[in-house]
Amino acid sequence: MKIIETDIVVIGAGPVGLFTVFEAGLLGLNCHLIDNLDKVGGQCIELYPEKPIYDIPGVANQTGKEHIDALLDQIKPFDYEVHLNQRVNEISEVDDSWKLVTSEGQEFKTKNIFIAAGAGSFEPRKPPVVEPDKFLNRGINYSVRNKSIYEDKEIAIFGGGDSALDWSVELSKIAKKIYLIHRRDEFRGAQHTEKKMRELVAKEKIILKVPYVIKDINGKDNFTG
Ligand SMILES: Cc1cc2nc3c(=O)[nH]c(=O)nc-3n(C[C@H](O)[C@H](O)[C@H](O)COP(=O)(O)OP(=O)(O)OC[C@H]3O[C@@H](n4cnc5c(N)ncnc54)[C@H](O)[C@@H]3O)c2cc1C
């Protein structure tokens, strides 16, 4: 495989990696982005393409996908290439440059590496039960790819961080009933979202269940409870 030489290798094609192309482009530098996902966009695309983001300066709100589409538009004028489905496995110093090798055996030579690996090669944190994936995509999901499937449904959301709070608030607009279940009555997410969630609990739009943890998941063909 031919070694690729470039001004900057960006590890990770999430929002930070994509914006690096913009900043590098302003300096007239060429970038190669590497990501082990099968698409660009990092967490925004993989974990919450349809969730609105409210904390982007100058933008009232944008979904994860809209945010990534806007970043891709913003970097259109610049010179970059993306290498997907491969993980950067090795970095070494060779003479006065860096050599990177990916899981596909592709080698890169560059003077600059920008690590935009965010949460790393992320995987969902699964509940501590036997066979947590038994009903995966059959009633159990670790992320929301398409929120319309929750329209008029009863949903139980487990967790106490930003994801759990954001999705409880967002899906309460379309779901029939939302249970937010957490092991304690304290949340790690943004205070503003927690306040919103508690307002929705007071209005009985969200049913808050604390302190509870998942002990087991049951069902036959699909998850039932
Ligand atoms: C459900 C949820 C909701 C959120 N909501 C908000 C919000 O409303 N507002 C907000 O500001 N933030 C929010 N966040 C956080 C936000 O998404 C992250 O801060 C942001 O994605 C970080 O961007 P990043 O580009 O640094 O990293 P990431 O988005 O994590 O992207 C990093 C990329 O690097 C790749 N990678 C890692 N290691 C390697 C390797 N060795 N080789 C190749 N590729 C590699 C990964 O595959 C990934 O695609 C939310 C997060 C989640 C999970």
Side-chain angles (χ1 to χ4, degrees):
M1 229 180 271
K2 193 169 164 266
I3 297 175
I4 296 173
E5 281 193 46
T6 179
D7 295 323
I8 308 180
V9 169
V10 183
I11 304 177
V16 173
L18 294 175
F19 195 66
T20 306
V21 173
F22 179 82
E23 292 291 343
L26 293 180
L27 300 172
L29 300 173
N30 151 276
C31 291
H32 278 249
L33 286 90
I34 308 169
D35 203 299
N36 63 338
L37 294 178
D38 60 357
K39 50 186 126 27
V40 300
Q43 295 176 51
C44 300
I45 286 294
E46 188 65 8
L47 301 179
Y48 59 99
E50 295 197 338
K51 184 189 80 68
I53 306 170
Y54 295 104
D55 54 356
I56 304 166
V59 179
N61 68 72
Q62 248 176 358
T63 63
K65 180 169 185 318
E66 285 166 350
H67 183 50
I68 296 304
D69 287 346
L71 283 165
L72 287 170
D73 260 0
Q74 197 173 18
I75 62 175
K76 252 188 197 151
F78 300 115
D79 186 17
Y80 71 101
E81 271 182 52
V82 181
H83 307 265
L84 296 172
N85 297 308
Q86 45 196 314
R87 189 173 198 282
V88 174
N89 279 343
E90 284 174 45
I91 301 177
S92 54
E93 212 173 345
V94 177
D95 303 325
D96 59 349
S97 292
W98 296 102
K99 176 181 145 187
L100 296 94
V101 186
T102 72
S103 49
E104 295 299 298
Q106 178 64 59
E107 288 185 26
F108 293 83
K109 186 179 172 200
T110 184
K111 294 260 190 217
N112 306 287
I113 300 174
F114 191 94
I115 300 178
S121 304
F122 43 83
E123 281 192 12
R125 206 177 308 142
K126 301 185 177 178
V129 297
V130 182
E131 290 191 273
D133 289 345
K134 195 169 166 191
F135 301 109
L136 189 59
N137 300 324
R138 289 183 293 131
I140 303 261
N141 290 88
Y142 296 115
S143 62
V144 179
R145 300 280 171 87
N146 171 9
K147 65 182 178 189
S148 68
I149 64 171
Y150 299 105
E151 248 176 75
D152 229 18
K153 296 268 165 54
E154 285 194 10
I155 311 165
I157 297 177
F158 285 85
D162 280 313
S163 283
L165 289 172
D166 284 354
W167 279 121
S168 298
V169 170
E170 186 59 24
L171 292 178
S172 71
K173 296 172 192 162
I174 57 166
K176 188 161 139 198
K177 206 182 246 182
I178 299 238
Y179 295 93
L180 173 60
I181 305 164
H182 187 39
R183 66 192 153 85
R184 56 184 181 157
D185 196 9
E186 273 172 45
F187 290 82
R188 280 175 288 107
Q191 284 176 4
H192 175 75
T193 321
E194 180 179 344
K195 188 167 164 260
K196 234 175 176 173
M197 177 276 285
R198 292 197 186 274
E199 284 165 11
L200 290 165
V201 170
K203 288 182 190 158
E204 296 181 5
K205 296 252 182 205
I206 295 175
I207 298 152
L208 180 61
K209 294 278 187 195
V210 285
Y212 292 102
V213 292
I214 304 180
K215 277 266 160 43
D216 207 357
I217 48 180
N218 297 299
K220 202 169 166 226
D221 296 325
N222 288 301
F223 167 74
T224 51

